[in-house]
Amino acid sequence: GQQFVYLAGAALLLVALMKHGMPRSCVCLSALVLLFAPETLLNEQLRLSRVFLYEGLTLLLIALWFCSLATTKLPWILFLSLLSGITLCAYALVREEFPGILPVYLLVLLFYLHLHGWKQPRTWRNVLLLLALPGLCLFASQAFIRSLNYAHYGASILSDQKEGSFPRTIAATP
């Protein structure tokens, strides 16, 4: 599963690079670097752990955002927005400091505006969709997980490490 996420992100990034007109030799070199990166070949990668999902999910998010720069067609914008939203949900669940990647997304959106024309209404519609759908997916998934935790455990929290009684207990310990 972890390697599949990484390979999906790498493949999508390579497709996006080709779509943006990068020379074939650079795409091939990028493929070699991505596929044979030393950290993906470590034995620790074989253990099932959320730590090893960071690289793949980060790569997948950046590849999806890079792909969104290449299109102005509404069906593709909706599709890429939805995939970005689903990936962002997984990223937020796996990585506690996920807001750190959001400024990168804002830069991508600003670049999209620059690339496709600030004054075009269709460009603004696409940027709003690229911003709203992933945000809605993230909010809905977190609300769903909170409701599941409340139904099963009586606590409406996402992570017991950040919310609930555990952090208060740790803070009160001298």
Side-chain angles (χ1 to χ4, degrees), residues 1-59:
Q2 298 164 159
Q3 291 296 327
F4 176 75
V5 172
Y6 184 85
L7 288 175
L12 191 60
L13 185 61
L14 295 171
V15 167
L17 292 175
M18 287 189 296
K19 199 99 163 112
H20 285 286
M22 184 174 258
R24 181 174 240 162
S25 59
C26 291
V27 173
C28 289
L29 182 63
S30 299
L32 287 173
V33 168
L34 286 170
L35 295 178
F36 297 108
E39 67 272 359
T40 63
L41 303 174
L42 298 173
N43 283 337
E44 288 82 22
Q45 286 281 18
L46 299 175
R47 277 189 311 196
L48 187 58
S49 170
R50 68 185 186 138
V51 172
F52 301 112
L53 278 170
Y54 297 162
E55 297 163 357
L57 287 172
T58 303
L59 188 61

Side-chain angles (χ1 to χ4, degrees), residues 56-76:
L57 287 172
T58 303
L59 188 61
L60 189 57
L61 266 176
I62 289 172
L64 285 166
W65 296 343
F66 200 69
C67 280
S68 69
L69 291 174
T71 187
T72 58
K73 296 182 177 142
L74 184 60
W76 279 108

